[in-house]
Amino acid sequence: MVTEQALPASWTRFWSRPIGWLIDHVVYRTSVTGRANVPAAGPVIFAGNHISMLDGPVMFGASPRPMHILVKKEMFAGFLGRVLRGSGQIPVDRAGDRAALHLGKALLDAGRCVGILPEGTRGSGAAESIGNGVAWLALNSGATVIPVAILGTRTGNEHRDHIPRPRRRLYVSFGEPLTVQRRNGEPGRVSMDRAAAEIRDALAEHIRDAIHTTGQDLPKDPVPGPQTPQHRQKAVAGTPADHH
């Protein structure tokens, strides 16, 4: 049974916007394109590729509209957890979290925007595969999906945990809007898989276009870094060591 959760207060979307702008344009030099593709009103799902820990904050700061991003629940601890909750972000259990998806749908039903990095974990960022959560949200809310290409937050052989130095040039590109719908007589699982494939293809194509336009490549396969005891414990347990 899904537990009903209260929507994050409206004020959470506004105090954090200047912080996102500072990250994008003071700490880093972020080039933003495609803002005109984002509807000025109504529910929107921002679906971005995932290469770095910075992807969520950078997408948040570049967007013309505030959003609530689905973030790995383990990040909601200590000071960072208070910041994430205070800015209206959504904790999600990557092993499967219906409650987080239903909260995301409620936000979309209220006309707000939800951000998601559907690849799930940091990788090459080419969107070769994505989870079905973004498709579920799109099908059940009717929200417009905006593919978002995020480049420069990790480059070359930099490790997945790498944080780029200040003033690096970053790129965020908002792609053409996409809507997915169920078809008459189509089984639910077939609809979900088809919608996920449509979103994946649109995101992957937009990433390729952004690479061509900016000249900024995706990172290469990450080079394994020195493992801490915590990383080794997670590896033995079969739990991903990386996070959003």
Side-chain angles (χ1 to χ4, degrees):
M1 181 176 179
V2 177
T3 302
E4 193 72 25
Q5 299 185 57
L7 299 186
S10 295
W11 60 263
T12 64
R13 295 176 290 165
F14 301 114
W15 76 266
S16 53
R17 296 281 285 160
I19 303 301
W21 187 91
L22 286 171
I23 291 173
D24 276 357
H25 300 292
V26 176
V27 179
Y28 298 101
R29 298 181 299 150
T30 305
S31 174
V32 182
T33 58
R35 287 189 178 205
N37 289 325
V38 179
V44 172
I45 299 170
F46 293 94
N49 62 324
H50 199 13
I51 57 178
S52 164
M53 296 172 67
L54 282 178
D55 296 332
V58 167
M59 180 172 69
F60 182 91
S63 172
R65 293 180 61 185
M67 71 179 77
H68 305 274
I69 301 178
L70 275 67
V71 180
K72 177 184 172 180
K73 70 175 185 178
E74 287 82 357
M75 302 293 285
F76 287 77
F79 175 74
L80 177 58
R82 291 194 293 274
V83 170
L84 290 171
R85 291 188 185 280
S87 59
Q89 310 315 314
I90 306 171
V92 59
D93 184 345
R94 291 185 302 175
D97 195 334
R98 292 179 60 199
L101 288 176
H102 280 268
L103 178 56
K105 179 183 179 299
L107 287 163
L108 294 167
D109 290 343
R112 301 194 197 179
C113 301
V114 170
I116 185 169
L117 304 172
E119 290 172 292
T121 58
R122 284 166 280 152
S124 70
E128 294 174 349
S129 64
I130 66 171
N132 276 1
V134 64
W136 187 93
L137 282 173
L139 286 173
N140 286 282
S141 68
T144 298
V145 179
I146 298 292
V148 186
I150 305 165
L151 302 171
T153 52
R154 187 163 61 87
T155 63
N157 290 316
E158 290 172 345
H159 190 265
R160 290 179 180 179
D161 293 338
H162 180 78
I163 300 294
R165 291 183 178 179
R167 307 307 296 157
R168 174 183 283 187
R169 173 68 68 185
L170 309 179
Y171 301 90
V172 179
S173 176
F174 297 96
E176 296 284 343
L178 168 73
T179 57
V180 294
Q181 296 177 334
R182 287 189 171 89
R183 296 172 180 169
N184 291 335
E186 187 176 57
R189 170 52 66 179
V190 174
S191 292
M192 191 82 67
D193 291 343
R194 177 181 52 78
E198 291 178 10
I199 295 170
R200 181 198 65 217
D201 291 347
L203 178 56
E205 181 178 3
H206 182 58
I207 293 165
R208 290 192 294 268
D209 289 345
I211 292 170
H212 177 75
T213 300
T214 65
Q216 175 63 65
D217 287 331
L218 292 169
K220 297 179 173 61
D221 290 337
V223 177
Q227 285 196 329
T228 64
Q230 183 181 15
H231 279 80
R232 286 193 292 270
Q233 183 179 4
K234 288 182 178 180
V236 170
T239 304
D242 60 330
H243 50 74
H244 292 306

